[in-house]
Amino acid sequence: MKIQRLVRHGFRNMGRHRLRSFFMMLGTLVGVAALVVVIALGQGTQQQILDNVGRLFSGSSVLLTAGGGGMMGGPRSAGPTTTLTVADLEEIEATVPGIDVWDPQLMIGSREVVFEGGTDDARIMGQSHNAERVWNRGVSRGSFIQRQDVQTSARVALIGETTAQELFGDLDPIGQQIRIGTVPFEVVGVLELTGTDPHGWDRDDEIVVPITTMMRRLMNVDYIQNAKLLVRDGYDLEATVSSIEGLLRERHALADDEPNDFHMITPVQVEEMIQSMNRVFTVFLPLLAAVSIVVGGIVVANLMLMSVNERKSEIGLRKAVGARSRDVQIQFLLESALVTVTGGILALVLGFLILLGVARTMGTPVSMPWEAAVIGMLAATAVGLAAGVLPARRAAELDPVETLR
């Protein structure tokens, strides 16, 4: 029997049994679509996060966090942690050799910001005039916070691009007055685009005000949450971290058996975190999609075995008119492969539509990972052929005399 005729017959059989064919395709469709979407989103998110992490931890730097919490913006334990102060940082700069510059931080997770009736819930950050250099993030227009703004607790603000769009639309925000809570602020600059940080925060939907203004006017506190310190070239980073740890333990009067009430993160630890992220994106997520494809293959094999039992008379008739066992075996192998390949093609279309929707919703460019698409199709074909082996063999072994009775 010719292959083209077998293919046509396979498509006709799929059309006659639409529901069964749908369930046979479902596992492959979900698996390949998941593989494409996961790889595409994983690559895009991974690159964005790595760019942000690289910008935050470039060179020799130390991120100092109060209370042993995670990285900036991460989850914290209930209640404020008050163990770190600006005075600690000033003492570190005066005592520990090699400290070049530092920037303290305070954060309010979400606060309503108002401009002429328009509102936006944005994250509020308190930073110093050193933040532009320390965090490697300046302004795209306007001016950055000045030293005098910090000294006088000035009511000036830098806003992210997302915040600017939400509050002002096409209006130039520079010089406009916004209100954070009950406190008015003048917008003096718009921050450079940053994207998403390692914790999933939209860094473009945030507002930066002078650290002293944050402490006195918005939060009424005398502590900070974290700080970043830059270490001069030529100084040993590990020795610097050890010196900072010893100084802070002494200042905080911690006994030898007491744990640190602060936490430090260095670029070495960040590299280890990046490697862990790479394992998630490149191994575990695609593995989940592969499991779905294999499960789909098991479903195909079971339904094809049921199909063999239902089509005994058809198989017997074909053999009676001259079809060889090999022809019957090829027929069922092709039908199994056709189902999974068709499911794979539909999965690529579905995956592309999902990525298109994500790109439009999130405003993030997401490209189709063609390597993953090819791997998915090859896997679908291989699983389809493997799933059809047992049903094809069983169909080929049927006795035409018995099946036609």
Side-chain angles (χ1 to χ4, degrees):
M1 189 179 291
K2 293 183 178 180
I3 298 295
Q4 292 139 342
R5 186 183 301 172
L6 288 175
V7 171
R8 286 197 302 271
H9 179 78
F11 278 121
R12 283 198 301 270
N13 187 61
M14 288 169 58
R16 283 196 299 267
H17 304 280
R18 294 185 183 89
L19 186 60
R20 183 173 64 192
S21 299
F22 169 75
F23 281 112
M24 291 169 70
M25 291 180 192
L26 191 59
T28 304
L29 190 150
V30 171
V32 175
L35 181 66
V36 169
V37 172
V38 162
I39 294 295
L41 295 181
Q43 287 176 348
T45 305
Q46 178 187 22
Q47 190 57 49
Q48 198 172 46
I49 291 175
L50 292 181
D51 289 343
N52 282 325
V53 169
R55 181 165 51 251
L56 296 178
F57 291 93
S58 57
S60 295
S61 59
V62 179
L63 180 62
L64 178 61
T65 305
M71 292 173 61
M72 181 195 70
R76 298 180 182 277
S77 58
T81 304
T82 62
T83 56
L84 192 63
T85 65
V86 172
D88 287 333
L89 301 179
E90 292 172 343
E91 185 65 21
I92 289 173
E93 183 182 31
T95 306
V96 178
I99 300 299
D100 185 15
V101 65
W102 49 270
D103 177 61
Q105 283 190 331
L106 266 173
M107 182 193 73
I108 301 174
S110 181
R111 179 69 63 87
E112 185 180 64
V113 185
V114 180
F115 171 72
E116 294 184 353
T119 63
D120 179 42
D121 289 326
R123 183 168 66 162
I124 314 298
M125 302 287 297
Q127 295 184 296
S128 74
H129 54 284
N130 293 324
E132 183 174 16
R133 178 184 170 193
V134 171
W135 295 99
N136 194 24
R137 185 189 189 188
V139 292
S140 58
R141 54 191 187 275
S143 59
F144 205 80
I145 293 172
Q146 304 299 310
R147 182 187 296 271
Q148 185 178 2
D149 297 329
V150 177
Q151 292 172 343
T152 62
S153 303
R155 289 178 294 186
V156 296
L158 310 175
I159 64 175
E161 289 285 358
T162 301
T163 309
Q165 186 62 37
E166 289 290 332
L167 291 177
F168 299 99
D170 296 330
L171 181 67
D172 184 5
I174 306 300
Q176 302 292 340
Q177 191 173 84
I178 60 175
R179 182 165 48 83
I180 303 174
T182 60
V183 183
F185 286 84
E186 179 188 351
V187 178
V188 296
V190 177
L191 294 163
E192 294 175 343
L193 284 168
T194 298
T196 306
D197 75 359
H199 297 93
W201 289 89
D202 180 5
R203 295 297 312 279
D204 298 316
D205 192 15
E206 70 182 18
I207 297 176
V208 176
V209 301
I211 182 67
T212 49
T213 310
M214 184 78 154
M215 295 171 71
R216 296 169 189 170
R217 299 184 187 274
L218 293 180
M219 296 184 68
N220 192 28
V221 298
D222 59 359
Y223 59 85
I224 61 174
Q225 291 166 335
N226 37 257
K228 184 181 178 184
L229 305 93
L230 299 186
V231 180
R232 293 190 184 95
D233 293 339
Y235 284 83
D236 187 274
L237 186 60
E238 290 186 9
T240 302
V241 168
S242 179
S243 298
I244 294 173
E245 181 179 12
L247 175 62
L248 288 179
R249 288 188 62 85
E250 181 180 349
R251 283 182 59 84
H252 297 178
L254 297 175
D256 292 341
D257 58 346
E258 286 185 279
N260 292 338
D261 58 1
F262 56 88
H263 181 70
M264 287 184 285
I265 299 175
T266 66
V268 174
Q269 293 168 301
V270 173
E271 288 179 8
E272 293 174 354
M273 181 195 72
I274 292 174
Q275 291 174 0
S276 176
M277 286 169 48
N278 283 337
R279 285 194 293 271
V280 172
F281 283 121
T282 60
V283 177
F284 297 114
L285 294 181
L287 184 60
L288 291 176
V291 168
S292 179
I293 295 176
V294 172
V295 170
I298 295 172
V299 173
V300 170
N302 282 309
L303 291 178
M304 287 296 291
L305 284 172
M306 292 173 58
S307 176
V308 170
N309 291 329
E310 292 174 0
R311 296 163 62 187
K312 284 183 178 181
S313 58
E314 174 195 334
I315 295 168
L317 182 60
R318 287 185 178 278
K319 283 192 169 185
V321 296
R324 298 169 297 175
S325 295
R326 180 172 173 273
D327 296 328
V328 174
Q329 193 168 6
I330 292 174
Q331 174 188 344
F332 276 84
L333 279 173
L334 278 176
E335 287 185 12
S336 176
L338 279 175
V339 168
T340 53
V341 169
T342 304
I345 294 172
L346 293 176
L348 296 184
V349 175
L350 177 62
F352 177 77
L353 293 176
I354 291 174
L355 293 177
L356 195 61
V358 169
R360 289 181 177 176
T361 302
M362 300 178 61
T364 304
V366 181
S367 58
M368 185 75 170
W370 293 110
E371 291 183 1
V374 171
I375 292 173
M377 287 302 301
L378 291 176
T381 305
V383 166
L385 289 172
V389 169
L390 182 59
R393 184 176 297 173
R394 181 167 295 183
E397 291 173 352
L398 290 176
D399 185 346
V401 176
E402 293 294 329
T403 56
L404 287 174
R405 283 182 178 178

